Amino acid sequence: MARIEKTCREVLDKAEWVAIATTGSDGPHLAATWGEYIRALGIRNDKIVLVPAGGYQKTEQNLAKDNRIEMLCATRQVQGTHGPGKGCRMRGTGQFQTSGEFAKAAKEKFPWARAVLVVKVEEVSEQL
C-alpha cells in the first residue's frame, strides 16, 4: 500500500477540489469533493482518505460491484515540473461506511453526511 506523503501530500493539502472516478456497467463515472472536506476529516496513516458523502449514489453503486477507485487533485500553489502547478493521482479501493469510527467523524463534522467514502490508497503518482 502506497503512502500519501511529500509532494502528493502537499498537493492534497492545498487542492481546492478532488475528482473521484469509478467504473460502472455503463462506463466511467466522475464525481468530486472539496479539498477542504478531505482536510477536515484528515488522512489516516498516510494511506486512507475520508470523504464525507451526502450524495454519491452512482459512486456507491459502482463501488459495490467494482471497488477500484481513482482520485485526482491538483493545485497551482505547488511548483510543477514545467511551471506553477502540480497534481497527484491516487489509486486504490473504496467503500462507503454508514457506521463506525470514520462515519461518526464524518457525521460530526458534516451534519448533512449520510456516510463516509473510505479510500484505501494503493498507488500514488505525481502529475504535471
Side-chain angles (χ1 to χ4, degrees):
M1 189 175 282
R3 298 179 87 74
I4 303 167
E5 53 190 5
K6 300 178 185 166
T7 303
C8 282
R9 181 61 178 250
E10 184 181 5
V11 169
L12 193 53
D13 285 344
K14 295 178 179 178
E16 187 171 331
W17 62 276
V18 178
I20 302 166
T22 58
T23 303
S25 57
D26 56 348
H29 172 72
L30 288 174
T33 192
W34 296 112
E36 67 184 73
Y37 289 179
I38 290 173
R39 290 188 290 276
L41 293 178
I43 297 169
R44 308 296 171 100
N45 301 321
D46 294 328
K47 301 175 187 177
I48 298 173
V49 177
L50 303 176
V51 180
Y56 297 120
Q57 281 81 13
K58 181 70 171 173
T59 302
E60 185 173 20
Q61 290 169 7
N62 288 349
L63 290 174
K65 295 176 185 169
D66 180 348
N67 70 349
R68 294 176 300 161
I69 192 167
E70 290 193 32
M71 299 173 71
L72 182 67
C73 58
T75 181
R76 294 185 66 83
Q77 296 177 42
V78 175
Q79 181 64 35
T81 307
H82 304 289
K86 192 74 171 171
C88 180
R89 182 183 71 186
M90 296 162 279
R91 284 183 173 178
T93 58
Q95 174 189 50
F96 280 80
Q97 295 179 3
T98 57
S99 62
E101 171 192 353
F102 296 151
K104 181 179 177 186
K107 292 174 184 181
E108 284 177 0
K109 291 224 182 230
F110 303 98
W112 48 261
R114 65 174 182 84
V116 64
L117 169 57
V118 179
V119 179
K120 294 180 181 175
V121 177
E122 297 171 355
E123 179 185 331
V124 176
S125 62
E126 294 181 22
Q127 307 288 308
L128 304 174

